Amino acid sequence: MKALQYVTVGAEPEVREIPTPEPGPGEVLLKVTAAGVCHSDDFVMSLPAEAFTYPLPLTLGHEGAGTVAALGDGVRGLDLGTSVVVYGPWGCGTCWFCAQGLENYCSRAAELGIYPPGLGAPGAIAEYLIVDSSRHLVPIGDLDPVATVPLTDAGLTPYHAIKRSLSKLRPGSWAVVIGSGGLGHVAIQLLRHLSPARVVALDVSDDKLEFAKSVGAHEAVLSNPQAADNVRKITGAAGASLVLDFVGYQPTIDIAMAVAGVDSDVTIVGIGDGKSAARIGFGVSPYEATATAPYWGARSELIELIDLAHEGVLDIAVERFALDDAPEAYRRLAAGTLRGRAVIVP
Ligand code: NAD
Ligand code: ZN
Ligand code: ZN
């Protein structure tokens, strides 16, 4: 089968012919219908050799959708041909976090060598994908897999981040979304659907600001050295109740902290350079403001998101690429010229 693989540290990923895998005991083989391209892959591929810990070559893609093509021994309750999406942050399934459905915070994954597809285990940008357990599949019925696959990360990550702060979002409050790309454009829609807050979006070009408004942002502001002042003019002295930073470099974290209000949540989702940080302290940050950096989301939350998708309230912007053109999708991602999510359709 064909797969997009990261082969050499520092080089572009390549489309290669590799053996089609067979499901072992407990595993499920999917025929991939769609696979999303996430900025985190770009971060992973920017790591120098000494910091890159996954085995190479690595098949990319941690947002996956497919139809059930074969079942390993012992898999029950799943029919061949079922259309599913993949819950990506695989855990052990039995520790305290996993028992809550929070496999993204599995306390034993590292010790057991369990990695998400595309981030250690073979990923979804391929003709076929092995999923380690039927527990990690959510049936999507007649939803379009191409428009639905981004929900597994570009949807799930903001959904988890927003849900934990919903109590802060009251009528009259403001939420700020920094970075209106793959995750950000879903975050804006989730904020509008789940909360009464008004939404200010930030990005670096007028095109992106127009895009943010088209998916529901009330206001849009260029992300530049004046951004915090310009956001403050909109929110007034109260500032924002929730700031979601989908970029995560020092300049955007500084904007996030500067627009945050008293008793707000500042949620840093973007990886940035992997080193930037928010400063919290008396006189440094707003009273009772909390800063956090979450990772992905819970299994139950992906099920909720798929239910939301069935209601037709989400409009996920996707740009489709054939598997042979997957390297181009990554170039467009790095150049910042995608509108919404790039999705590879094998
Ligand atoms: P993306 O490339 O689709 O979107 C990023 C957006 O930010 C683009 O619209 C870009 O124009 C904009 N941007 C860039 N610099 C900016 C700046 N200085 N100010 C404002 N906007 C700016 O990326 P994505 O796939 O949506 O991922 C967003 C970030 O979230 C990445 O850092 C990614 O690694 C990270 N991520 C984290 C998690 C997690 O679990 N914490 C999960 C998925 C992705
Ligand atoms: Zn991701
Ligand atoms: Zn676990």
Side-chain angles (χ1 to χ4, degrees):
M1 68 168 185
K2 275 187 196 172
L4 181 74
Q5 293 199 311
Y6 186 49
V7 183
T8 312
V9 171
E12 277 199 339
E14 301 166 26
V15 179
R16 301 170 93 209
E17 192 65 37
I18 62 169
T20 302
E22 283 177 23
E27 296 178 339
V28 177
L29 180 73
L30 297 185
K31 183 166 176 32
V32 176
T33 48
V37 169
C38 178
H39 212 115
S40 299
D41 294 337
D42 195 60
F43 173 77
V44 166
M45 290 189 285
S46 75
L47 292 170
E50 58 277 16
F52 189 88
T53 50
Y54 306 139
L56 289 176
L58 171 68
T59 301
L60 293 170
H62 55 269
E63 287 184 347
T67 50
V68 175
L71 302 176
D73 284 348
V75 178
R76 287 188 300 177
L78 191 61
D79 293 328
L80 292 178
T82 305
S83 180
V84 296
V85 291
V86 180
Y87 174 78
W90 298 348
C92 72
T94 52
C95 74
W96 187 87
F97 284 103
C98 285
Q100 314 296 305
L102 287 162
E103 298 200 26
N104 49 326
Y105 299 139
C106 175
S107 48
R108 298 194 65 205
E111 164 201 340
L112 296 172
I114 300 171
Y115 296 99
L119 294 167
I125 305 182
E127 290 175 282
Y128 290 88
L129 168 70
I130 293 285
V131 177
D132 68 340
S133 165
S134 58
R135 177 177 92 242
H136 295 141
L137 300 175
V138 180
I140 61 169
D142 58 3
L143 290 173
D144 172 15
V146 176
T148 307
V149 76
L151 295 182
T152 60
D153 178 14
L156 178 56
T157 303
Y159 185 69
H160 177 75
I162 291 166
K163 257 191 98 174
R164 64 186 292 286
S165 295
L166 276 181
S167 65
K168 304 266 167 111
L169 300 174
R170 50 186 172 72
S173 66
W174 286 93
V176 172
V177 172
I178 305 177
S180 308
L183 274 68
H185 95 286
V186 188
I188 293 167
Q189 298 181 47
L190 291 171
L191 285 164
R192 291 301 312 273
H193 191 72
L194 300 173
S195 94
R198 293 171 65 80
V199 179
V200 190
L202 277 72
D203 210 301
V204 290
S205 71
D206 289 330
D207 275 7
K208 293 281 177 90
L209 297 187
E210 174 272 317
F211 175 51
K213 282 193 155 177
S214 75
V215 295
H218 296 90
E219 302 281 350
V221 170
L222 274 177
S223 182
N224 59 23
Q226 293 78 48
D229 287 345
N230 290 334
V231 172
R232 281 273 176 184
K233 282 178 197 152
I234 294 168
T235 63
S241 300
L242 171 63
V243 187
L244 297 165
D245 181 356
F246 294 108
V247 181
Y249 283 94
Q250 201 59 53
T252 57
I253 295 178
D254 290 347
I255 294 171
M257 292 306 293
V259 303
V262 168
D263 193 29
S264 60
D265 285 345
V266 175
T267 303
I268 302 163
V269 176
I271 300 178
D273 55 7
K275 295 190 275 262
S276 300
R279 290 177 70 232
I280 295 277
F282 200 94
V284 172
S285 51
Y287 298 125
E288 294 200 29
T290 304
T292 190
Y295 170 64
W296 226 328
R299 265 175 62 205
S300 54
E301 290 170 334
L302 181 57
I303 295 171
E304 291 168 20
L305 261 181
I306 297 303
D307 284 337
L308 207 53
H310 279 295
E311 283 177 36
V313 297
L314 300 174
D315 184 9
I316 308 302
V318 295
E319 292 201 37
R320 295 168 184 248
F321 293 83
L323 186 46
D324 284 330
D325 299 329
E328 176 62 10
Y330 278 91
R331 277 178 222 129
R332 295 271 313 280
L333 175 81
T337 61
L338 291 168
R339 187 180 164 93
R341 204 63 154 174
V343 175
I344 312 299
V345 185

